[in-house]
Every structure is written in C-alpha cells, then in structure tokens.
Amino acid sequence: MTQTLEPPAAESVGEAQQRIDAWLTTFNDALASRDIDRITGLFATSSFWRDLVAFTWNIKTVEGHDEIVDMLRSRLDDVDPKGFATTDPASDDGDGVVSAFIRFETAVGRGEGHLRIKRDENGEDKGWTLLTTLQELKGHEESTGHSRPRGAVHGSDPDPRSWAEKQEAEATELGRSHQPFVLVIGGGQGGIALGARLRQLGVPSIVVDKHDRPGDQWRGRYKTLCLHDPVWYDHLPYLPFPENWPTFAPKDKIGDWLEFYTRVMEVPYWSKTTCTSAVYDEDAGTWTVEIDRDGEKMTLHPTELVLATGMSGKANVPTFPGQDVFQGEQHHSSGHPGPDRYKGKKVVVVGSNNSAMDISKALVDNGIDVTMIQRSSTHIVKSDSLMEIALGDLYSQRAVESGMTTKKADFTFASLPYRIMHEFQIPVYDAIREQDKEFYDGLTAAGFDLDFGDDGSGLFMKYLRRGSGYYIDVGAAELVADGSIKLAHGNVDHLTENSVVLDDGTELPADVVVYATGYGSMNGWAADLMGQEVADRVGKVWGLGSETTKDPGPWEGEQRNMWKPTQQPHLWFHGGNLHQSRHYSLYLALQLKARYEGIPTPVYGLQEVHHLS
C-alpha cells in the first residue's frame, strides 16, 4: 500500500517521465487504430488492468494478456478512449519500475488513474499495473469551481422563493408527488457520502435510516469508542475534516460531524424511517418499497435501490444451549451500552477482535472483572506502528507535507491489484513485527493466540478478505499481556444460570455476557427486505475469493458485489470504512447518474455467484 515519498534525483525524474511518455504515446496510437494485439503487447505477461467504471461500467480487474484482449474486444469501440497523458511528473519507484498519475477521455466521460511500467528481460518497458477510473460524465459535470452555483439572482427572478422555501418545497414533494430515482437504505457514513454525491450530480434520491438523527449509528455505540483509523484516511467527499480535527475521532464527535455534513451537503435524509419490504417489478423496472416514516406508512417506487446498511451486515448472535436459563444480561457487541452499569459484576466477552478488545478495555478501566474468550487467533497491530509504517506514506501529516493529497493517496492504494496486494503488505508487517517484537512477545507469553494472516500480509488483507479477525491496538493488548483482561480459550459449550461453560469444561462465572461475535454477509439485509430468493441471486457480499480463512474461492479479483452491478437488476451494495465510503461513493454515484440520464451502460464482467452467504 505504501510507496516512498523520498524525492528522486532530477535525472531519474526526467528518465522516468520519458519512459512513461513513450509508453503512453504508443498506447494512444494503438488505441486510436483499434490494434488490440499491439495494445496487449504493451503489457507484461503478468499484468493487471483495474477499471473503476470507465471502460467496463463495472468495478473489474483483468489479469494478463488473455483477459485484457477479451475486455478490449468487448469494450474498445464503445468506450473510444483517447488522450492518455500524465497529470504529474512521473516517479522512479526502483527496481526498473516507474509510475505516474494519468488522465484520459472516453466517449462519455473523463477519467484519471495511475500507471506503472517496468522493464522486461529484453529491456523493453511493459505495462505492469494500470488503473482507469471514471471521474465525470460529459455534459453532466458537477457544479464546482468556475461552474459553482451562483446562489443569488441579481435582478428580476421569476421564482421569488428563498433558498429555504425551495428546500422545504422539495422536501415536501420528494417521495410523494415526485418519486426518487435512487433510494438509499442506511444513513451511516456510507449512505450519507453516497447521498452527497448524488445530490451534487442532480440525481433525485432519498437516504432513509431508522435512527432519530444522522450520526446516531455512532452515538449509540459504547461510550469509549473512537476511530482506529487516522483522520487523513477518513475524510468524506467534498468536505474534509478541519485541520484541528483529532487524529482519532471519538464516536460522538463523528456522529455530530455526520449530522452537520448531512445538513450542509443538503442530503435528502429521512430519519426515523424503517423499510419493511422491497419488491422488484421486472416489467416496470422499478421497486415497490414499503416504509414506515415516523409512524406514517408510505410506498416508494425508486428505480435503483442501494443497501448501505454497513459492510459487516447483520449482527451475528450465536445460539448456545442454556441461553434461556442464564439469569444475567446478554447482548451483542453492537448493542453494548458501555461499562457504567456493570460495576461490581463479572463480564464474559465472547470474542477477541476489535469490538471485544475495545469493550474489555473500557470495562477494566472502570474496575470491572472481565474475561475474554479467544475462540481463534487474532491479528493485532499497534496503532502507532500502523500509522508510521503502513499508512505513513499515504495518509499522515508527513505525507501531506510531502505533497500527498487524499486523491493521490486513494489512487495509489486503488492502483494495487488485489491479486498482488499481499506482496506489498508482507514486508510492511514484517517490519512491524520486528519493531514491536517485545510487544508481541508479551502477548504470546500471556497465552494470546496471534496471527498475521494466512500469508503474513497483516491487517489490510484480513479486512479485505474477510472483514474480521484483527484488532488495532489502542491499549487493550497491554491489559491482556499483564492479565488485567483475563483470557480464556475455546468455544462456548453452554450457559448455566450464572456462568459460561467452555467445550473443555472450564466454567467462567458471569453476570453479563457480551457476544463480540461479528457480523454476517450484507445480503442478510436483502433477505430480510426482499426475500431469500433475491439474497441468493446476489450471493455473498464482501471478500476476494482468495481461498484464505473465511474467504472461499474461486478468485473474484474485486470485492464481491460492492459498489457495482449485481445479479439482481437495480440492486446495489455500498459500505465499508470511511475511506471506502469516500472513494467508492463516486463510482457508484456515476453508475447511477448514467442510468438516470439514459446513458447506455453495458456491463462487462458481471460477477458470477459462487457463495450464497
């Protein structure tokens, strides 16, 4: 994920630019002449072209010559790409690799991306990784910069209403006399970011959420929750956090920011709104969605339906014998209120990943007896080490001071194909392991079962592959190492009236049981709203098909069903962390905008379904 920010020598910059320019010149010529063999010959045998909407109307990576040929045969004439050129000076990345940020045009839009080339055994420059992304649709550009809205009419105005009056009229009509083109179900950071994008693109849409206010998804979590990702990684579209924003934002502060953001970005947002069912009409090409808006029953008929209900899906609450006889309190980590009401009680936390660690630390900090059950190994990385070694070159203050922007950082990360991303990550986590050896030795000595992923590639790959099995340490690991958080191992066999019993017979006295047992696939929400048939048509959401733990093959090349067309027409999934909500909301919004404007969107490489959940 990282790349060096050390400025290369002027000679290498000039040579790198010459190499990139020469490659792009030949590439442009071959594109113009539609010479697919010549285009393909510009790429290394082992090469990767990752496209975010620009060529494929999909989020798709093609790997190697055969897949590049197939994509170009299907899409080249229709896309009509041209004008590939650098936007910044090329850089020398070492080992014969040079790279550059690029721009280009297609028949319907303008794009940007990233290119890496490297010398082959014959000394010829070949394309290694190419990222192409659609940034705007021609004739449907966002009103920004020189084209920003004027905001006031100087002179006679045929519409004398004020801005506030127009806003009120729009809010009254939307969903009643005017149907939304897009309905976004889920108003957390993902739904809000997408809502802001759609608003700027002029797509009629509504974001609905069951909570009372935007941001309540964060406010309602346990009181000590903070972001584990640093601020530079977490900006939302259009409106970055201010310069004095804390590096790790407390959850209530994030909640307030999301509420503020929703209002300032004029996101059409319906709070206190629950969707009860959604049915797709194949003949009409629209959805019928039944909702309850603060007690008012309504029926909406959007064309496009987006589930932005959280990357992790529904809470996974396990079923154990004896839960019905247990006399204490039981709840999933998603409903944990914090430590205050548990003074003097014994708490057993089932699980050993992010939520389990955070909850256990807060309980111990408040003098509460806590035992954490580790059922399988966990990857742990210290927050400071993550910032310094894994994120520092792209998302940090020093990166900003070296000229790195959020957009360039996002492009750099997006330019690494998932197939080889672990090769970039393994050295990062090898360095972390060496630097923090004493830290890891302490955890191991306490009996904690550690891992660095199946292949040693650490946090990001675990997140991308399975979305679980890790903890970014902000203090809980030390409490495990010194025994303040008691540690037990194994699986839960059953509960008694006042204890949790493990499969080896170990009995853990408990007044409270917290199930920090993760979440299911997002298509669980689809099953609830649309029925199991639709959920099975879509299949599993998230994961790469890496054939590592909890990420079964075959290889997908991209996140399953995220931010792109699915096998269920007009149904989309949007989610992930703040970084992904920011980055991928653009590509989902552009796909929806194109459909709203009637622009043809032939999808190349629609994902097949291999797993149902």
Side-chain angles (χ1 to χ4, degrees):
M1 173 175 174
T2 57
Q3 68 175 23
T4 180
L5 294 179
E6 292 295 324
E11 301 82 34
S12 63
V13 170
E15 182 184 353
Q17 187 67 47
Q18 290 173 5
R19 291 172 61 190
I20 290 284
D21 286 344
W23 193 93
L24 288 175
T25 296
T26 307
F27 187 58
N28 280 320
D29 290 345
L31 289 171
S33 63
R34 303 294 191 261
D35 189 337
I36 292 176
D37 289 340
R38 189 180 178 202
I39 296 168
T40 307
L42 287 169
F43 288 86
T45 303
S46 177
S47 55
F48 308 88
W49 184 336
R50 187 176 191 221
D51 182 65
L52 307 185
V53 182
F55 278 68
T56 61
W57 290 110
N58 197 356
I59 293 180
K60 177 72 175 175
T61 298
V62 290
E63 304 179 4
H65 286 186
D66 289 346
E67 292 188 12
I68 291 174
V69 165
D70 188 75
M71 187 272 284
L72 290 173
R73 283 177 177 166
S74 175
R75 300 296 302 131
L76 184 56
D77 285 340
D78 186 39
V79 176
D80 189 23
K82 65 189 67 170
F84 278 80
T86 59
T87 59
D88 295 87
S91 64
D92 186 339
D93 298 343
D95 295 328
V97 178
V98 295
S99 64
F101 297 102
I102 59 173
R103 58 174 169 79
F104 60 94
E105 290 190 18
T106 70
V108 300
R110 299 178 186 89
E112 296 181 45
H114 187 273
L115 169 68
R116 291 184 185 88
I117 61 176
K118 63 179 180 180
R119 290 198 171 108
D120 66 8
E121 63 276 6
N122 299 317
E124 296 181 8
D125 279 325
K126 299 291 184 178
W128 180 29
T129 69
L130 175 61
L131 171 70
T132 50
T133 78
L134 184 65
Q135 293 294 300
E136 62 182 8
L137 294 164
K138 293 176 181 178
H140 305 287
E141 297 83 357
E142 294 187 21
S143 299
T144 59
H146 292 294
S147 62
R148 71 173 69 232
R150 190 168 179 84
V153 176
H154 295 168
S156 178
D157 186 357
D159 186 349
R161 295 178 300 170
S162 69
W163 172 85
E165 290 170 331
K166 293 175 183 176
Q167 290 280 301
E168 183 179 358
E170 178 187 332
T172 301
E173 296 167 358
L174 190 59
R176 293 182 170 85
S177 59
H178 292 94
Q179 287 296 310
F181 183 76
V182 180
L183 179 64
V184 181
I185 302 176
Q189 67 257 18
I192 289 171
L194 179 60
R197 297 276 196 192
L198 293 170
R199 178 73 177 184
Q200 295 305 304
L201 286 167
V203 180
S205 59
I206 302 174
V207 179
V208 300
D209 193 88
K210 65 182 180 180
H211 293 91
D212 289 351
R213 297 156 54 197
D216 277 355
Q217 302 87 348
W218 288 87
R219 296 187 189 97
R221 298 296 303 279
Y222 49 92
K223 71 176 187 178
T224 55
L225 176 65
C226 290
L227 288 181
H228 290 181
D229 300 320
V231 62
W232 305 276
Y233 187 71
D234 291 330
H235 295 304
L236 289 180
Y238 308 111
L239 195 61
F241 293 115
E243 287 293 316
N244 62 346
W245 195 262
T247 300
F248 303 104
K251 54 104 177 177
D252 292 291
K253 195 170 179 68
I254 287 291
D256 289 346
W257 180 262
L258 290 175
E259 185 171 21
F260 156 80
Y261 183 93
T262 301
R263 293 180 64 87
V264 170
M265 297 306 300
E266 302 177 14
V267 177
Y269 191 101
W270 289 6
S271 57
K272 302 180 184 178
T273 301
T274 303
C275 294
T276 57
S277 69
V279 178
Y280 181 65
D281 185 329
E282 292 188 13
D283 293 331
T286 59
W287 293 88
T288 297
V289 184
E290 303 295 337
I291 68 169
D292 182 328
R293 187 184 184 191
D294 197 18
E296 179 186 3
K297 307 298 184 183
M298 298 180 66
T299 303
L300 300 177
H301 295 285
T303 300
E304 308 290 343
L305 190 62
V306 180
L307 290 185
T309 45
M311 176 276 289
S312 298
K314 298 179 62 178
N316 180 21
V317 182
T319 300
F320 299 122
Q323 286 176 317
D324 57 334
V325 303
F326 182 70
Q327 294 183 349
E329 180 181 340
Q330 304 173 69
H331 57 254
H332 189 265
S333 57
S334 59
H336 183 67
D340 292 351
R341 71 187 193 208
Y342 303 124
K343 296 282 179 67
K345 297 184 181 294
K346 293 183 181 296
V347 181
V348 170
V349 178
V350 182
S352 58
N353 298 328
N354 259 342
S355 293
M357 288 284 200
D358 280 349
I359 289 169
S360 297
K361 179 181 184 299
L363 291 165
V364 166
D365 287 346
N366 282 268
I368 298 166
D369 185 303
V370 181
T371 300
M372 185 169 66
I373 300 174
Q374 186 176 31
R375 300 176 300 161
S376 58
S377 64
T378 303
H379 170 60
I380 294 182
V381 59
K382 294 175 69 173
S383 177
D384 288 348
S385 300
L386 182 70
M387 288 179 60
E388 175 192 351
I389 300 176
L391 290 172
D393 284 351
L394 297 180
Y395 301 100
S396 69
Q397 191 59 38
R398 68 176 170 86
V400 171
E401 292 170 355
S402 298
M404 181 61 68
T405 65
T406 302
K407 186 174 184 178
K408 288 180 181 179
D410 288 351
F411 274 5
T412 302
F413 193 21
S415 72
L416 292 178
Y418 290 128
R419 175 77 80 175
I420 60 172
M421 187 179 285
H422 66 286
E423 298 174 13
F424 288 76
Q425 294 295 297
I426 289 170
V428 170
Y429 287 90
D430 284 346
I432 288 174
R433 248 191 296 207
E434 182 177 351
Q435 174 179 285
D436 297 331
K437 183 179 185 302
E438 185 176 343
F439 167 78
Y440 290 118
D441 286 347
L443 279 167
T444 302
F448 195 84
D449 189 4
L450 286 164
D451 74 64
F452 278 77
D454 289 11
D455 53 7
S457 58
L459 174 71
F460 288 110
M461 296 314 301
K462 259 204 162 185
Y463 173 70
L464 294 167
R465 290 165 172 169
R466 53 182 281 192
S468 64
Y470 52 83
Y471 169 58
I472 301 174
D473 181 48
V474 291
E478 180 181 347
L479 299 177
V480 172
D482 69 15
S484 299
I485 296 174
K486 300 173 186 176
L487 193 61
H489 293 89
N491 292 305
V492 175
D493 184 77
H494 67 278
L495 277 67
T496 70
E497 292 181 349
N498 53 17
S499 68
V500 176
V501 182
L502 303 183
D503 51 7
D504 66 356
T506 301
E507 188 167 359
L508 305 172
D511 302 301
V512 181
V513 179
V514 180
Y515 297 111
T517 45
Y519 300 83
S521 172
M522 281 181 74
N523 67 345
W525 296 113
D528 285 351
L529 281 175
M530 305 158 215
Q532 193 62 48
E533 182 180 349
V534 171
D536 289 347
R537 187 177 305 140
V538 170
K540 181 179 175 65
V541 180
W542 204 260
L544 303 173
S546 63
E547 296 188 341
T548 57
T549 304
K550 295 189 177 182
D551 184 29
W555 178 247
E556 306 280 1
E558 293 288 344
Q559 289 289 349
R560 295 184 186 95
N561 284 314
M562 293 299 296
W563 317 295
K564 60 184 179 180
T566 69
Q567 291 286 349
Q568 170 59 53
H570 304 286
L571 177 63
W572 313 76
F573 292 85
H574 176 58
N577 56 30
L578 282 157
H579 159 266
Q580 290 168 311
S581 295
R582 170 188 70 244
H583 183 65
Y584 288 101
S585 59
L586 171 62
Y587 307 113
L588 177 49
L590 287 171
Q591 293 173 81
L592 295 169
K593 173 66 171 179
R595 286 160 173 78
Y596 176 66
E597 297 295 345
I599 297 170
T601 56
V603 176
Y604 175 81
L606 182 66
Q607 180 187 301
E608 297 179 9
V609 175
H610 301 289
H611 307 282
L612 300 185
S613 62

